[in-house]
Amino acid sequence: MDNVAIVVDDLRAAVAFFTELGMELEGEAQVEGVWADRTVGLDGVRSEIAMMRTPDGHGKLELTRYRAPEASAPEPHDPPPNTLGLHRVMFAVDDIDDTVARLRAHGAELLGEVARYEDVFRLCYLRGPAGIIVALAEQIG
């Protein structure tokens, strides 16, 4: 797999959010033209992207802001975690409490609470940029 794309309405805020998670900005680009229209199946595509890379270099997120055609909001606006389709991205973190606190400063909201799975993990789901669900896992055992 090369990357996972997330469509956002505020590219700068999304870059700041995922930078806070430890990802690194690999590059930015403007995307438009006939090739883009043909690739995504939309007419008149004009977008800007930011490619984010995990510190180990093995994972990437493509954050995309569509200028045209305008992005549409999903229904319902903030779908629950059991919605069919791609709905969350999980990150391994060293300190889940610190990470949650730092992400709250970027607008993240816990969906439930930080829970313990046996003596192996502490886990939580947060609502992040564009309403996506970001899961965090801290290995404790």
Side-chain angles (χ1 to χ4, degrees), residues 21-32:
L21 265 171
M23 297 192 81
E24 301 166 4
L25 180 63
E26 185 174 82
E28 298 177 283
Q30 302 292 316
V31 177
E32 61 184 282

Side-chain angles (χ1 to χ4, degrees), residues 76-123:
H77 178 64
D78 285 330
N82 63 339
T83 302
L84 293 175
L86 183 65
H87 72 279
R88 71 138 173 92
V89 178
M90 180 174 270
F91 292 88
V93 297
D94 294 328
D95 182 337
I96 200 166
D97 297 315
D98 176 63
T99 304
V100 168
R102 289 185 292 115
L103 293 178
R104 279 188 167 146
H106 293 275
E109 298 177 18
L110 278 171
L111 294 184
E113 58 188 63
V114 176
R116 186 181 190 112
Y117 173 71
E118 298 179 351
D119 289 329
V120 182
F121 289 105
R122 293 182 70 219
L123 305 158

Side-chain angles (χ1 to χ4, degrees), residues 7-115:
V7 177
V8 298
D9 57 352
D10 185 337
L11 190 59
R12 294 296 121 228
V15 167
F17 181 92
F18 287 105
T19 298
E20 194 67 55
L21 265 171
M23 297 192 81
E24 301 166 4
L25 180 63
E26 185 174 82
E28 298 177 283
Q30 302 292 316
V31 177
E32 61 184 282
V34 173
W35 70 271
D37 294 358
R38 289 180 178 163
T39 300
V40 300
L42 297 170
D43 292 326
V45 169
R46 283 191 358 253
S47 64
E48 51 188 331
I49 65 169
M51 189 63 73
M52 305 294 294
R53 177 179 72 248
T54 56
D56 65 7
H58 296 295
K60 294 182 186 179
L61 286 179
E62 178 185 300
L63 304 174
T64 304
R65 178 173 183 261
Y66 279 88
R67 295 202 173 275
E70 188 173 322
S72 59
E75 292 298 326
H77 178 64
D78 285 330
N82 63 339
T83 302
L84 293 175
L86 183 65
H87 72 279
R88 71 138 173 92
V89 178
M90 180 174 270
F91 292 88
V93 297
D94 294 328
D95 182 337
I96 200 166
D97 297 315
D98 176 63
T99 304
V100 168
R102 289 185 292 115
L103 293 178
R104 279 188 167 146
H106 293 275
E109 298 177 18
L110 278 171
L111 294 184
E113 58 188 63
V114 176

